[in-house]
Amino acid sequence: MSERSEPFGAQMVILEEMVFAANEMLDRARTETHLFSEFISKMAGSHSVKDLKTMCEECGQHQIDFVRRDCERLFRHGERMIETTSNLFSNRPES
């Protein structure tokens, strides 16, 4: 990379990170809203303590699965960012 394109590469990485973070926040809010709506709906449909217990177990499992997938996705993104940053610095001309 030439000196001129290096700052552009860094700016692109920063911009991509900002877009990724915004998309992640929006996706997280959308998912949490959906899970909360589902929780309220199931709670309203419960007719006994046993139904409430079952519903809480199911919703708890959904939440655990969501957090696990979210962490895995963020971990993969972190790996890509480390690789991108490493490539950005490895292509830097020595002064």
Side-chain angles (χ1 to χ4, degrees), residues 44-59:
S46 297
H47 300 292
S48 68
V49 173
K50 183 180 178 196
D51 288 345
L52 281 173
K53 178 181 180 260
T54 303
M55 184 258 327
C56 285
E57 288 171 354
E58 289 174 2
C59 289

Side-chain angles (χ1 to χ4, degrees), residues 15-89:
L15 180 61
E16 287 171 0
E17 274 307 294
M18 290 171 61
V19 169
F20 175 80
N23 286 336
E24 284 297 305
M25 286 187 286
L26 182 61
D27 186 48
R28 180 71 184 238
R30 187 179 310 129
T31 303
E32 288 291 339
T33 302
H34 174 75
L35 288 174
F36 184 68
S37 174
E38 188 178 300
F39 175 77
I40 295 298
S41 176
K42 286 185 178 187
M43 184 177 260
S46 297
H47 300 292
S48 68
V49 173
K50 183 180 178 196
D51 288 345
L52 281 173
K53 178 181 180 260
T54 303
M55 184 258 327
C56 285
E57 288 171 354
E58 289 174 2
C59 289
Q61 187 61 49
H62 282 276
Q63 191 71 12
I64 289 168
D65 292 342
F66 169 72
V67 169
R68 180 185 49 78
R69 286 190 308 269
D70 200 35
C71 288
E72 287 172 354
R73 187 174 63 235
L74 289 172
F75 181 75
R76 285 190 307 270
H77 175 73
E79 286 179 324
R80 286 191 304 269
M81 278 308 303
I82 290 170
E83 183 179 331
T84 300
T85 304
S86 176
N87 289 339
L88 197 61
F89 285 119

